[in-house]
């Protein structure tokens, strides 16, 4: 069999998912000008860019500038976009495998981890990921509503998503109006009665997963004071030893310094407050028909046999009245029919990005990148190195002739989608959506007013 990658026999790659991981994978492919490619990127939404569009907090517009880099990749002559195509519905994993020399799975981690406590499903208790998708105008979440009629919201978790949702709950309307927050979320948040957000971490300040800029921002909110009781910063021996050891990275040390600064502040007089409370795990969410309170178990820390610092329950509890609980304890990847899946970690098993079957064999021709490869960790840029590793494995398989023989040609995917009557959106269609959104935004002095329904998006794409 001829090694694919020549004009007569281009290397045909499908990338499933158009978030950062997918785009860095495409970029790593195109970094080889000596190879001829056909790269088709497939996304279940009509719009590209994954969590850069539907995850990054709207008050962080600079982070979204990375889209310019992805647009450059999308401008490559060998790149095509097929939006509004759900793998498992419009096309199966097996079909992609039979059409393309290689398939790179880059579909991220679209659902959330559960706490597994009583009351978790009461109205008023939501995954923070749902709230994030809602305020970002993700079409699957546009019809959600959140109880913003209450005075206190509790956010569970000490990661950057927890920081994002805490901030969004207390940003003044004027600060939201200049962003690309979904129009319905701007209205709902402007009318919100929430004036206190309690952010709860199960371990201590030295273990919080926030990064430094996100902590700093919590202390710089225009409409909310940051509250941290100094007793919260009395560190246990294991955390003190950790911070003094080589294991502690600068991020953790700087977080603790920033927390100390918060604890030393005089009580402010801003209309709202964000309070950080550590060493607490939710035990139950209480309420008659809706969230009315959350019961927190107070923890202590200990080092396990491996030296990791963990939390354990002391048996002491406290109950906090609240009307909204946002559980921000991590995203979770989901399985795709026909692909191996590690349900515990929520990832596709792989070795350096090469998929591993349930029988433990590596599968040349099938690759993974991003959160579905390594789990939901790291920032956007982390995906660049991650994709480089995977694409290196793909090229090894090309060079050693390990890719299985495939039957598809340039028209295979669009023909299949046309046959099935699937309304797919190409990159020009996305450009039309983009132009409509930015035009709508311009009149209001906003970066864009997002379309938040698939039908509207497909219509806008067709009218290009
Ligand atoms: P994360 O950083 O992994 O944080 C998850 C948090 O949930 C941790 O504090 C964790 O505590 C806690 N947790 C997990 N299970 C729990 C349980 N059963 N009970 C109580 N707490 C529990 O996840 P994330 O905030 O969802 O963020 C995902 C990734 O996206 C991260 O890498 C993050 O940095 C990134 N991100 C970046 C930005 C940005 O750059 N601005 C914005 C948003 C997200 P333990 O530490 O004790 O496990």
């Amino acid at each position: 069999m001829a090694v694919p990658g020549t004009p007569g026999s281009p290397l045909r790659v499908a990338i499933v998912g158009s978030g950062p991981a997918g785009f860095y994978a495409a970029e790593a492919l195109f970094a080889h000008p000596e190879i001829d490619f056909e790269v088709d990127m497939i996304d279940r939404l009509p719009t590209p860019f994954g969590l850069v569009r539907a995850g990054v907090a709207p008050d962080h517009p600079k982070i979204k500038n990375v889209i310019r880099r992805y647009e450059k990749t999308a401008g490559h002559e060998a790149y095509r976009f097929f939006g509004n195509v759900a793998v498992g519905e419009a096309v199966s994993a097996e079909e992609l495998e039979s059409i393309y020399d290689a398939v790179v799975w880059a579909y991220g981690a679209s659902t959330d981890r559960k706490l597994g406590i009583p009351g978790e499903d009461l109205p008023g208790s939501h995954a923070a990921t749902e709230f994030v998708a809602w305020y970002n105008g993700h079409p699957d979440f546009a019809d959600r509503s959140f109880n913003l009629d209450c005075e206190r919201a509790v956010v569970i978790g000490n990661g950057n998503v927890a920081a994002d949702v805490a901030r969004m709950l207390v940003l003044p309307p004027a600060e939201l109006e200049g962003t690309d927050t979904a129009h319905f979320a701007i209205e709902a948040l402007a009318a919100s009665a929430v004036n206190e957000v309690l952010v709860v971490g199960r371990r201590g300040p030295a273990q919080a997963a926030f990064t430094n800029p996100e902590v700093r921002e919590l202390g710089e909110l225009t409409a909310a004071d940051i509250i941290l009781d100094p007793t919260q910063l009395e560190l246990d021996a294991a955390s003190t030893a950790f911070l003094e050891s080589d294991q502690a990275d600068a991020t953790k040390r700087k977080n603790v310094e920033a927390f100390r600064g918060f604890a030393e502040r005089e009580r402010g007089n801003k209309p709202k407050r964000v309070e950080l409370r550590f060493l607490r795990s939710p035990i139950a969410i209480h309420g008659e028909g809706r969230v009315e309170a959350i019961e927190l178990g107070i923890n202590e820390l200990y080092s396990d046999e491996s030296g990791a610092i963990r939390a354990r329950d002391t048996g002491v509890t406290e109950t906090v009245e609240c009307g909204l609980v946002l559980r921000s304890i991590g995203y979770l990847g989901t399985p795709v029919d026909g692909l191996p899946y590690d349900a515990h970690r929520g990832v596709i098993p792989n070795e350096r990005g090469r998929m591993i079957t349930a029988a433990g064999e590596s599968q040349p021709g099938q690759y993974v990148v991003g959160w579905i490869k390594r789990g939901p960790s790291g920032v956007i840029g982390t995906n660049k190195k991650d994709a480089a590793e995977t694409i290196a494995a793909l090229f090894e398989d090309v060079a050693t002739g390990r890719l299985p023989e495939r039957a598809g040609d340039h028209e295979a995917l669009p023909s299949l989608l046309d046959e099935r009557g699937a309304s797919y959106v190409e990159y020009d269609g996305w450009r039309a959506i983009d132009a409509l959104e930015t035009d709508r935004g311009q009149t209001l002095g906003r970066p864009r007013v997002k379309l938040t329904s698939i039908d509207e998006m497909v219509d806008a794409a067709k009218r290009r």
Side-chain angles (χ1 to χ4, degrees), residues 7 18 21 92 148 257 302 426:
S18 65
S92 69
L148 300 171
E257 264 171 49
Y302 70 100
E426 294 174 272

Side-chain angles (χ1 to χ4, degrees), residues 60 63 115 156-162 164 202-203 207 209 214 282 328-331 371 376-379:
H60 283 170
I63 297 184
L115 284 166
I156 304 297
N158 270 183
N160 284 338
V161 171
D164 283 350
R202 68 174 163 183
R203 296 191 288 163
Q207 290 80 34
E214 281 62 29
S328 183
I329 62 166
Y331 286 80
W371 281 6
S377 66
V379 292

Side-chain angles (χ1 to χ4, degrees), residues 18-19 23 41 43 45-50 53 67 79 81 427 430:
S18 65
F23 268 103
M41 189 178 272
D43 201 292
L45 290 183
T47 52
F49 312 135
R53 179 176 162 98
I67 284 177
Y79 173 93
F81 178 66
Y427 205 76
W430 152 244

Side-chain angles (χ1 to χ4, degrees), residues 401-434:
R402 293 178 74 208
L403 291 186
E405 205 155 343
R406 302 286 161 83
D409 62 14
H410 192 63
E411 291 314 310
L413 181 63
S415 306
L416 193 72
L417 296 174
D418 285 338
E419 247 171 59
R420 293 178 182 166
S423 289
Y424 58 89
V425 171
E426 294 174 272
Y427 205 76
D428 275 354
W430 152 244
R431 284 203 182 102
I433 296 170
D434 187 33

